[in-house]
Structure formats: C-alpha cells, structure tokens
C-alpha cells in the first residue's frame, strides 16, 4: 500500500503495476514493442486549390476579402519557410486563377492580389485559386560588357 505525500493517514488500494518513473517505459507498454516508424516526408508539397466566396451572409465583404488574401499570403509564407532540397535556391509557385477550377488560367504570383481585387470590384460571387509550390533555381546574371564609352560617360 502506498500513501500520498502530504496526506497523512490516507491509504490507497493496492496497485498491480507501480506507476512508471520519469524516463522509464511502463511495463504494460514495454510488451507492445517499438513504436511504428514515422512516415517519410512527402516529396510533393500540398497544393492550395480552393474556391473562395466573396459574399457570405453576416460577414462584411471587405473583411471577407482581407481574410481571404491573408489566408493565401499565410500559405505562401508557410511554404517558403520549408527547407529547400539540395540544389534548389527557393520555392517558386505555379499559380492559376479564375472564376472556377475549369476556367482557371495561369498567372504570375505577383499579379494574384490585383486579380483578386479586380474580381471583388466586379462584384463576383467567388473565385478559384490554385497555388502549387515547385523548386526554383536562380539563373546567373549575364556579365556586364558595356564600357564607359558605350554608356556615354567620359
């Protein structure tokens, strides 16, 4: 029988298995064997493919638009902060935008916010965004070959 510390005179029922000490595996779990292996990390990153509504009853359209843009920026930031594979300089994104998944067309990532604002100004009901992270490699700049004479300087 064990007593709780600080409670003099209080007895507990006998315990079949004593509680494990810190850092020691309990006997009932030791027989189960080692824990299963962790799954391997995915080679392909999870894409963002979503249709965002621009009009929801009970929500102000401006706040809904800002929340949508915030969610897209948060996804981009989260993907960019993931470690790059060997030989890759940064995470680039393939971006598609349209009123639905069937009508989505490829656009540059920098033009995404402008297109969202344009759809909101047109009073569209919703829009579709697809962002897929891909490895990007920087291209080296061409060396400058012009001289001071070619630039018109003395």
């Amino acid at each position: 029988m064990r007593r709780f510390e600080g409670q003099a005179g209080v007895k507990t029922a006998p315990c079949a298995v004593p509680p494990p000490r810190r850092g020691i595996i309990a006997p009932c779990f030791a027989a189960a064997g080692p824990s299963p292996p962790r799954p391997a990390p995915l080679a392909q990153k999870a894409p963002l493919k979503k249709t965002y509504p621009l009009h929801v009853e009970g929500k102000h359209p401006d706040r809904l638009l800002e929340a949508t843009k915030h969610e897209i920026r948060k996804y981009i930031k989260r993907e960019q902060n993931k470690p790059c594979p060997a030989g890759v300089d940064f995470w680039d994104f393939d971006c598609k935008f349209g009123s639905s998944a069937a009508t989505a067309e490829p656009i540059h990532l920098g033009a995404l916010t402008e297109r969202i604002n344009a759809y909101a100004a047109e009073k569209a009901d919703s829009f579709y965004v697809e962002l897929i992270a891909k490895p990007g490699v920087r291209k080296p700049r061409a060396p400058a070959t012009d001289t001071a004479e070619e630039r018109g300087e003395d």
Side-chain angles (χ1 to χ4, degrees):
M1 301 240 210
R2 298 183 328 172
R3 295 178 187 246
F4 289 108
E5 293 180 19
Q7 296 180 347
V10 177
K11 294 184 178 182
T12 61
C15 183
V17 178
R21 290 182 283 164
R22 183 173 284 206
I24 298 176
I25 298 175
C28 57
F29 296 118
S35 61
R38 293 184 182 198
L42 299 175
Q44 180 71 19
K45 297 180 133 212
L48 173 75
K49 296 181 180 182
K50 190 170 180 181
T51 301
Y52 290 97
L54 289 173
H55 301 289
V56 175
E57 190 174 333
K59 293 188 179 182
H60 195 278
D62 292 341
R63 301 297 80 75
L64 190 61
L65 180 64
E66 292 302 318
T68 299
K69 289 192 280 188
H70 175 72
E71 183 178 338
I72 292 170
R73 287 184 193 115
K74 190 166 66 170
Y75 170 80
I76 292 169
K77 186 73 171 174
R78 182 173 55 241
E79 293 298 313
Q80 286 176 339
N81 284 338
K82 291 184 180 177
C84 295
V88 174
D89 296 325
F90 62 97
W91 287 112
D92 196 9
F93 292 90
D94 285 333
C95 182
K96 288 186 179 180
F97 183 85
S99 57
S100 67
T103 62
E105 56 188 34
I107 64 168
H108 190 268
L109 182 63
L112 181 62
T113 305
E114 297 167 7
R115 294 287 295 269
I116 292 172
N117 290 336
Y119 262 67
E122 294 173 2
K123 305 288 184 194
D125 292 334
S126 63
F127 63 89
Y128 173 80
V129 174
E130 181 177 319
L131 291 171
I132 300 174
K134 65 178 183 177
V137 179
R138 298 194 194 283
K139 296 177 184 173
R141 292 185 182 179
T145 58
D146 62 334
T147 61
E149 293 175 5
E150 292 175 359
R151 289 184 295 206
E153 297 177 3
D154 290 327

